[in-house]
């Protein structure tokens, strides 16, 4: 498809389990972003990948959160030992190398921690 | 740290009413400003953006926004709303050395038919 693809669309898991969320950016987009949208909150930046540079992890809320981007394309966000406060919609966005291009968002993964 | 404030949490309008959603940002340097919209059940979509030039920016679906540097504002406007404009609207800033967007908490717009 032409847009940013995220999977799964919904994930329900028990507290304490690990989860992996996947993002497939638009082809050719070198920048990839993860955001979190919690109930009643705006969008919270988590992590940013740009090409082969070291990722900007400044938004990750704890060391239980990590992300990687293999081959400069697909990214996986991993949450270890999930907690109930991790319940949110996790959004991925990508943008082209041109500095004035906006970010394109995926549909998100709705994560529910029981 | 940069921040974005959206003044209204929920706005309810009747069709054909005029709309203005407030947005203020804290960053004092060169900024790139955005409005995104999220229709029910859909992903975030770009409405309009400002990078430089004319501070009055036209976007899709009849929306416009005005960048007022002295007020650190980027308010979204539409002269006459439609029921199909019911959605959540997010103001965002992209500036400084970070590559990410800083979003406001969003304004939910409900348009009554």
């Amino acid at each position: 498809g032409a847009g940013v693809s995220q999977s799964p669309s919904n994930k329900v898991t028990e507290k304490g389990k690990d989860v992996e969320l996947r993002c497939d950016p638009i082809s050719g987009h070198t920048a990839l972003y993860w955001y979190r949208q919690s109930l009643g909150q705006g969008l919270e930046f988590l992590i940013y990948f740009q090409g082969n540079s070291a990722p900007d992890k400044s938004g990750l809320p704890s060391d239980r959160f990590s992300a990687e981007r293999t081959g400069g394309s697909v990214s996986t966000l991993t949450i270890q030992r999930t907690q109930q406060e991790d319940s949110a919609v996790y959004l991925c966005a990508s943008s082209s190398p041109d500095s004035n291009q906006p970010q394109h968002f995926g549909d998100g993964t709705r994560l529910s921690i029981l | 740290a940069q921040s974005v404030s959206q003044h209204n949490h929920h706005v309810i309008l009747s069709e054909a009413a005029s709309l203005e959603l407030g947005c203020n940002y804290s960053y004092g340097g060169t900024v790139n400003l955005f409005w995104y919209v999220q229709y029910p059940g859909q992903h975030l979509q770009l409405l309009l953006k400002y990078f430089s030039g004319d501070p009055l920016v036209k976007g899709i679906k009849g929306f416009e926004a005005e960048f007022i540097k002295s007020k650190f504002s980027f308010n979204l406007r539409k002269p006459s709303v439609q029921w199909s404009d019911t959605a959540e609207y997010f103001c965002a800033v992209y500036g400084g050395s970070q590559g990410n967007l800083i979003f406001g908490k969003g304004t939910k717009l409900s348009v009554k038919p």
Side-chain angles (χ1 to χ4, degrees):
Chain A
V4 176
S5 178
Q6 290 188 246
S7 62
S9 54
N10 283 283
K11 176 73 176 178
V12 180
T13 192
E14 294 179 347
K15 176 182 171 182
K17 301 285 189 184
D18 297 350
V19 295
E20 282 190 354
L21 312 179
R22 177 189 167 104
C23 172
D24 201 341
I26 293 172
S27 178
H29 281 190
T30 57
L32 187 148
Y33 311 78
W34 283 98
Y35 295 88
R36 177 169 70 175
Q37 187 175 19
S38 305
L39 188 64
Q41 302 292 321
L43 286 103
E44 174 189 13
F45 163 70
L46 297 177
I47 188 169
Y48 161 51
F49 296 89
Q50 174 60 277
N52 296 320
S53 302
D56 176 355
K57 304 179 182 180
S58 59
L60 294 178
S62 79
D63 59 6
R64 297 186 294 104
F65 287 72
S66 63
E68 61 179 25
R69 189 178 185 192
T70 54
S73 180
V74 172
S75 177
T76 303
L77 176 69
T78 301
I79 309 173
Q80 295 177 309
R81 304 181 303 280
T82 52
Q83 304 294 313
Q84 286 187 331
E85 61 263 27
D86 299 335
S87 296
V89 176
Y90 289 82
L91 294 168
C92 178
S94 69
S95 65
S96 78
D98 298 330
S99 60
N100 285 347
Q101 292 305 308
Q103 296 176 22
H104 297 263
F105 284 80
D107 289 337
T109 294
R110 183 174 296 277
L111 177 63
S112 301
I113 310 299
L114 303 179
Chain B
Q2 299 172 48
S3 65
V4 176
S5 298
Q6 291 184 240
H7 313 302
N8 310 102
H9 178 62
H10 191 186
V11 173
I12 302 173
L13 295 173
S14 297
E15 276 194 314
S18 64
L19 170 72
E20 181 161 2
L21 301 182
C23 173
N24 288 90
Y25 62 93
S26 65
Y27 184 60
T30 301
V31 292
N32 296 335
L33 294 156
F34 305 82
W35 275 96
Y36 278 85
V37 60
Q38 189 171 30
Y39 296 103
Q42 296 187 27
H43 60 261
L44 279 163
Q45 301 171 41
L46 182 69
L47 261 183
L48 49 79
K49 62 183 189 282
Y50 171 80
F51 287 139
S52 63
D54 189 345
L56 186 61
V57 180
K58 304 285 187 184
I60 61 170
K61 303 186 180 185
F63 285 90
E64 65 179 31
E66 185 175 12
F67 169 56
I68 304 178
K69 188 174 181 179
S70 61
K71 295 184 178 180
F72 297 90
S73 71
F74 190 57
N75 292 356
L76 181 71
R77 299 195 294 249
K78 184 170 183 178
S80 176
V81 295
Q82 300 173 312
W83 177 78
S84 58
D85 293 324
T86 294
E88 191 156 15
Y89 293 80
F90 293 91
C91 181
V93 61
Y94 168 77
S97 58
Q98 290 180 302
N100 59 291
L101 289 170
I102 309 248
F103 284 89
K105 292 190 183 299
T107 297
K108 185 177 178 182
L109 172 65
S110 299
V111 180
K112 298 183 291 184

